[in-house]
Amino acid sequence: MRTVVVIPTYWGRKKEIGFKEGDIVYDHATPIDGEETLSRILESMKILNKKDFKLVILICSTHMEIEHQAEGKVRKIVQGVKLDVETYLFTRKTLRKIKRFGRNSELKENVLSLLSLEGYANVRNMCLFASHILNADITVLIDDDEIIENPDFMDIAREFIGKRVYGETVYAIAGYYVNKYGNYYDDVSMEPWMTYWNRFGSKSKAFDKIIGCGPRLKQSPFAFGGAMVIHKNLYQIVPFDPNIPRGEDIDYLINAKMFGFSFFLDNKLSIKHLPPKNTHPTWKRTREDIYRFIYEKSKIDSQYEVSNMRMVTADDFSPYPGEFLKDDLEDKIFKTNLLLAMENLANKEVDACRESIKNIYLSIYEAIPKKDPFTAYRNIQKYWEKLVDFTLENKKEMRRIMEEKKLFKVEVTVDKEHYEKISLKEKKETLKRMIEFKDFSEEELEKIARISAVKAYKEDDIIFKEGDEDSSFYIMIRGCLRIIKYNERNEEIVLADICTGGFLGETAIVNERHRVNAVASEFVELLFLEQKNLELLIKEDPNLGNKCLLVFLEKLSIKLDKTNRLFQDNYILGSSSLSDMD
């Protein structure tokens, strides 16, 4: 399945200037002249066994005054690392062009307002949006302060996505962070003020229950924004909530649950998280938690019955974050900040004591949303679907805008003259490498090679289209292709992925037109055999001809059965039959 990996990277002003009034606030924005972490994650990706994905790097600057410097810095880093992956930069300028195109196409402002690189939730939405423009089936979200240590990371990330597990189709996978010591616990020490605000204790309990125990895959009440795998069936419906001040990752899990999607944590999908040291004072970090938990609790409390949505409760997300979404949240906030204020006072930190007391006031008079957050999110979700549809309708124009910032392209060319003149020996050697022909003699392989041909296709080349007449059998020598139909939104519905060693050719048996489309997902080499040539072979050498035909029929039977089960599990396209799955 087509995969896009997205990495947001945050940049601030030079160290000597620091923060200015009006700048966007991020935890660890890298100063333009500071030590960065982006090159570290990119270097770590070189170990991956599978690099069959596109990479998007979102450049998030704290102010438009430094956007060009930030882009130049990122461009230099990516070019220096030389990761052998097709790479795009997504910048403020990219976004301005997309918004301008949207306005010119009369896209409404409430929909355009979702296009923003300001704030964590908006940035996550732009991760999904950029992936959607690139027509991804799967989006993998990671952060620039992480390191990939497992060469099989991409295989693990995609192993279950889109498949049925425990009677439910998996559309969201949560990985997890390991710290510098290699374990999954938060690297913090318990303090007396945490007596009623035992967030890290609740998280540890949840981590032990979900990460530390079998089975490998299980539904999870939490997720990490820098270790998410999201299927398009989810991200095209559910956006991140721009109104959440922090904790947008777990809030996304809650939103997904409301729309009937579960997150499954894979306890083999880990990534090392090495964030810079947090310099914010304790009262400020506590205040951020107060705002996020009050917002999420308000969203849950303000639910009402809506078609195609399900009601969720705090217990659905226990032990964490559920323990902070219940009716005793106000009491937790009051007692915690009193203890924190007393600790600050004992340490003669008067300002910190004052701010801790202020947290109690804010929790009552400022943090509670003025508008019903559930209804507000439902409106955002409707706008998001309009944005998704608009992108599908204008995918060529949107893709062209993104192509302007394509930084690295793995160029694949097809030497048509070579394939037209490919030698008999090469075709014979190709057949010998395939297990299906291991019992064929040298003479038999040569006869098959004489009546076959080899063709090659670049990524996104069409191999055949719905309605085409065709009477050929195809053998996948190299690469992968996808069998697709288009829905009413002109969106691809992938019925099957067929890779090296796979067979195609149902229409050659029933002598019909193709009812589906076949498109190269990457560079593809195909050996094909026309039905008329196979018929001649059967006449000239019945034993060999029938032996060859049996190979095709056996492989096609297995493929058809597998494809039909996939189709029934995941896609409803009307009255398609097995023969639709060519």
Side-chain angles (χ1 to χ4, degrees):
M1 289 188 282
R2 287 157 298 169
T3 305
V4 174
V5 176
V6 192
I7 305 175
T9 181
Y10 303 91
W11 295 83
R13 300 178 189 272
K14 291 182 178 180
K15 287 183 285 187
E16 62 184 33
I17 298 173
F19 180 83
K20 278 189 176 184
E21 191 66 32
D23 287 358
I24 306 165
V25 179
Y26 296 118
D27 283 348
H28 310 298
T30 303
I32 287 294
D33 58 346
E35 185 177 351
E36 49 80 26
T37 57
L38 179 61
S39 58
R40 188 178 65 187
I41 178 64
L42 295 178
E43 286 286 354
S44 76
M45 293 170 75
K46 288 182 176 179
I47 70 167
L48 292 171
N49 290 328
K50 292 283 182 66
K51 298 188 182 72
D52 53 341
F53 56 85
K54 291 178 171 61
L55 174 65
V56 177
I57 300 175
L58 266 78
I59 305 174
C60 311
S61 57
T62 57
H63 198 280
M64 63 184 301
E65 290 177 357
I66 62 168
E67 64 176 275
H68 297 301
Q69 291 173 280
E71 181 180 339
K73 186 83 172 181
V74 171
R75 186 180 294 270
K76 185 176 180 180
I77 290 169
V78 176
Q79 290 173 335
V81 172
K82 297 178 181 177
L83 182 66
D84 190 22
V85 172
E86 186 173 312
T87 304
Y88 298 78
L89 302 184
F90 194 96
T91 68
R92 283 174 176 259
K93 186 175 181 181
T94 306
L95 205 52
R96 284 195 295 270
K97 287 189 174 184
I98 289 172
K99 292 181 83 166
R100 190 182 306 125
F101 174 75
R103 287 192 181 95
N104 292 339
S105 303
E106 299 184 349
L107 192 61
K108 294 186 181 301
E109 285 299 322
N110 50 18
V111 177
L112 287 169
S113 67
L114 292 177
L115 296 169
S116 173
L117 282 171
E118 298 184 7
Y120 288 115
N122 281 322
V123 167
R124 293 295 184 198
N125 275 336
M126 290 306 95
C127 291
L128 301 180
F129 180 67
S131 183
H132 177 54
I133 292 175
L134 295 178
N135 207 25
D137 297 307
I138 301 169
T139 302
V140 180
L141 300 180
I142 58 178
D143 287 334
D144 69 349
D145 59 357
E146 299 171 340
I147 296 176
I148 292 174
E149 297 183 306
N150 189 339
D152 296 322
F153 181 87
M154 293 305 298
D155 285 322
I156 295 170
R158 295 178 291 192
E159 185 173 348
F160 296 107
I161 199 81
K163 297 178 181 177
R164 290 188 69 81
V165 177
Y166 309 128
E168 185 174 347
T169 303
V170 178
Y171 290 123
I173 297 285
Y176 63 96
Y177 299 152
V178 294
N179 59 29
K180 60 185 177 183
Y181 304 110
N183 63 58
Y184 52 72
Y185 297 112
D186 287 309
D187 188 15
V188 295
S189 300
M190 287 296 295
E191 304 286 346
W193 67 267
M194 296 179 183
T195 301
Y196 301 101
W197 197 257
N198 191 11
R199 188 165 74 89
F200 299 109
S202 296
K203 287 175 73 174
S204 296
K205 190 190 302 181
F207 291 177
D208 286 338
K209 179 181 178 181
I210 306 298
I211 302 172
C213 297
R216 172 181 164 186
L217 201 72
K218 60 183 76 67
Q219 289 192 24
S220 174
F222 60 84
F224 301 88
M228 277 187 179
V229 186
I230 306 175
H231 193 280
K232 68 177 182 180
N233 287 8
L234 170 56
Y235 77 66
Q236 289 182 356
I237 295 173
V238 180
F240 286 81
D241 187 348
N243 294 320
I244 186 80
R246 296 298 301 261
E248 75 288 343
D249 44 11
I250 289 181
D251 185 71
Y252 187 75
L253 181 149
I254 294 172
N255 300 334
K257 196 84 168 174
M258 287 177 171
F259 280 91
F261 295 94
S262 297
F263 263 79
F264 289 79
L265 187 133
D266 185 343
N267 67 13
K268 283 192 175 182
L269 185 64
S270 65
I271 192 165
K272 181 163 281 188
H273 188 212
L274 300 173
K277 186 176 180 180
N278 198 325
T279 57
H280 296 309
T282 303
W283 64 261
K284 183 173 177 59
R285 297 199 298 272
T286 305
R287 183 174 297 174
E288 290 170 348
D289 284 338
I290 289 169
Y291 271 81
R292 64 180 279 204
F293 289 137
I294 287 178
Y295 183 84
E296 288 171 344
K297 182 179 183 302
S298 298
K299 188 187 290 185
I300 290 173
D301 290 347
S302 60
Q303 292 175 100
Y304 45 83
E305 291 287 345
V306 177
S307 297
N308 298 322
M309 293 186 72
R310 56 164 291 190
M311 304 277 280
V312 301
T313 68
D315 289 333
D316 291 324
F317 310 102
S318 290
Y320 182 82
E323 289 186 12
F324 293 84
L325 303 176
K326 298 181 178 180
D327 291 338
D328 63 348
L329 177 59
E330 183 179 335
D331 186 56
K332 275 186 167 75
I333 293 170
F334 178 79
K335 291 176 179 177
T336 296
N337 284 279
L338 275 182
L339 288 176
L340 185 56
M342 292 169 62
E343 183 177 302
N344 290 328
L345 196 59
N347 294 328
K348 298 181 180 180
E349 297 172 347
V350 178
D351 288 341
C353 175
R354 186 181 296 112
E355 294 293 345
S356 298
I357 295 297
K358 188 178 178 180
N359 282 347
I360 299 173
Y361 169 85
L362 293 173
S363 71
I364 299 171
Y365 296 104
E366 296 290 339
I368 298 173
K370 301 295 186 291
K371 295 182 180 180
D372 165 11
F374 180 70
T375 299
Y377 180 72
R378 285 189 59 227
N379 289 331
I380 287 166
Q381 190 272 334
K382 291 173 186 175
Y383 301 153
W384 179 257
E385 286 198 316
K386 290 182 187 298
L387 183 61
V388 166
D389 289 344
F390 177 80
T391 306
L392 288 169
E393 292 164 6
N394 299 277
K395 55 187 177 183
K396 287 185 179 178
E397 292 82 358
M398 304 287 259
R399 182 68 177 264
R400 179 185 55 77
I401 294 171
M402 277 204 67
E403 293 281 344
E404 293 175 7
K405 297 289 184 180
K406 183 189 289 185
L407 206 58
F408 182 70
K409 168 73 174 175
V410 181
E411 292 290 348
V412 177
T413 58
V414 175
D415 186 348
K416 292 184 178 180
E417 187 175 340
H418 165 75
Y419 285 100
E420 288 172 358
K421 298 179 180 179
I422 195 165
S423 69
L424 182 66
K425 182 180 178 181
E426 285 182 84
K427 288 188 285 185
K428 184 178 173 182
E429 289 301 314
T430 296
L431 290 167
K432 284 175 71 174
R433 290 194 296 269
M434 302 187 73
I435 192 170
E436 290 78 13
F437 294 97
K438 63 181 178 63
D439 295 327
F440 285 62
S441 68
E442 292 282 333
E443 183 182 352
E444 288 174 332
L445 290 174
E446 184 165 326
K447 286 185 178 180
I448 297 170
R450 286 185 183 280
I451 62 169
S452 62
V454 176
K455 289 186 178 181
Y457 301 85
K458 294 187 297 182
E459 181 182 353
D460 291 329
D461 279 354
I462 296 171
I463 295 159
F464 55 73
K465 293 187 295 186
E466 187 174 356
D468 286 352
E469 288 187 3
D470 194 359
S471 59
S472 298
F473 292 99
Y474 298 86
I475 304 174
M476 295 288 294
I477 300 172
R478 172 186 173 191
C480 290
L481 59 80
R482 58 190 185 272
I483 302 299
I484 63 173
K485 273 184 172 285
Y486 293 96
N487 63 15
E488 66 279 0
R489 298 191 298 176
N490 198 33
E491 177 187 13
E492 286 188 8
I493 301 297
V494 180
L495 304 179
D497 293 291
I498 300 174
C499 297
T500 304
F503 282 57
L504 288 160
E506 289 86 330
T507 55
I509 300 171
V510 295
N511 201 22
E512 290 185 351
R513 295 176 183 271
H514 285 294
R515 299 187 184 184
V516 292
N517 307 273
V519 182
S521 298
E522 58 191 46
F523 179 75
V524 165
E525 284 184 343
L526 287 171
L527 184 141
F528 68 97
L529 177 62
E530 290 189 20
Q531 185 189 44
K532 62 181 181 182
N533 290 332
L534 181 58
E535 289 173 352
L536 285 173
L537 180 63
I538 292 172
K539 287 181 180 178
E540 295 174 4
D541 189 339
N543 289 333
L544 174 59
N546 287 317
K547 186 177 177 182
C548 187
L549 185 59
L550 282 172
V551 169
F552 281 103
L553 290 175
E554 182 181 2
K555 294 292 290 186
L556 292 173
S557 174
I558 294 170
K559 179 179 77 72
L560 285 170
D561 179 62
K562 181 179 178 181
T563 303
N564 191 53
R565 281 187 280 109
L566 177 68
F567 171 68
Q568 290 175 331
D569 282 345
N570 296 303
Y571 304 102
I572 304 299
L573 290 176
S575 56
S576 298
S577 65
L578 283 177
S579 61
D580 290 340
M581 306 301 154
D582 188 41

